[in-house]
Amino acid sequence: MAAILGEALATGRLTSVEHATRLEAAYSAVTLGDLVPLTADLPEDTSAATPSPSTERQRVAAVFSKVVRSGQWVPGRHTELRSTFGALIVDLADAVLPGREITLELNSLCGKIIVRVPANARVIDEGEALFAKRHVAGGDEADSAGPLIRVTGRARLGKIVVSRAGDHHFDRGW
């Protein structure tokens, strides 16, 4: 149910306030019958035929600066995170993911990118590094019901760290 409501938020069929209210009701539901009214009035999902550009692609950049993105926000299905001589800290733990699989393209040039993914996420690292540090927490202990996060991109003379919620790498501000 949380995924359906998240998809409705991502496609603009719910406002963030409606989403928060319905999500709270979904988590406190006792029976399946309690869940039915939470999606019964939603307009039909036409996003499969015409995806919204904001849910498909997104870019967050830090150039000679520090940028922090956290809380409830909706990343794109393909989100590029770029740091050039800066620091970019992104927390996906409370983000509303726009589907079961997203791609994070992490590109660091003489900069630092730190990403925290949900604790139950499966992470696949397909990126590369050149004279850089790249640490991506894998998917061994992940929940198969969690989202799949595919990490691409490259670190050049910089640092990329991807860790799970609760992992010390993010909390120490690596």
Side-chain angles (χ1 to χ4, degrees):
M1 181 58 65
I4 293 170
L5 293 173
E7 192 74 27
L9 174 65
T11 57
R13 295 178 294 137
L14 282 178
T15 66
S16 59
V17 173
E18 291 170 324
H19 175 262
T21 302
R22 292 179 191 214
L23 192 59
E24 184 178 337
Y27 284 131
S28 62
V30 177
T31 67
L32 288 175
D34 295 338
L35 297 174
V36 172
L38 300 178
T39 57
D41 65 334
L42 290 177
E44 193 171 317
D45 182 10
T46 59
S47 66
T50 56
S52 162
S54 65
T55 60
E56 284 303 305
R57 296 191 71 79
Q58 194 173 118
R59 183 176 185 193
V60 181
V63 180
F64 290 103
S65 59
K66 179 179 181 180
V67 174
V68 177
R69 177 74 57 99
S70 62
Q72 286 194 336
W73 64 288
V74 182
R77 292 184 196 277
H78 182 103
T79 298
E80 179 188 4
L81 304 176
R82 179 176 296 277
S83 175
T84 305
F85 293 99
L88 181 55
I89 301 170
V90 176
D91 188 352
L92 294 173
D94 295 323
V96 179
L97 302 180
R100 301 261 314 135
E101 180 177 337
I102 68 167
T103 298
L104 297 178
E105 181 182 340
L106 308 181
N107 292 305
S108 172
L109 173 62
C110 299
K112 174 170 54 173
I113 299 175
I114 301 171
V115 178
R116 182 168 86 163
V117 299
N120 66 343
R122 294 173 290 144
V123 180
I124 297 174
D125 184 16
E126 299 173 344
E128 57 189 58
L130 175 66
F131 296 113
K133 177 179 181 175
R134 186 180 180 91
H135 173 79
V136 177
D140 295 344
E141 64 279 354
D143 182 354
S144 64
L148 173 63
I149 299 177
R150 188 173 307 277
V151 179
T152 65
R154 59 179 59 105
R156 292 168 292 172
L157 301 168
K159 179 190 287 188
I160 292 176
V161 177
V162 178
S163 62
R164 293 187 189 295
D167 188 1
H168 68 282
H169 285 75
F170 187 87
D171 298 330
R172 286 193 336 211
W174 266 35

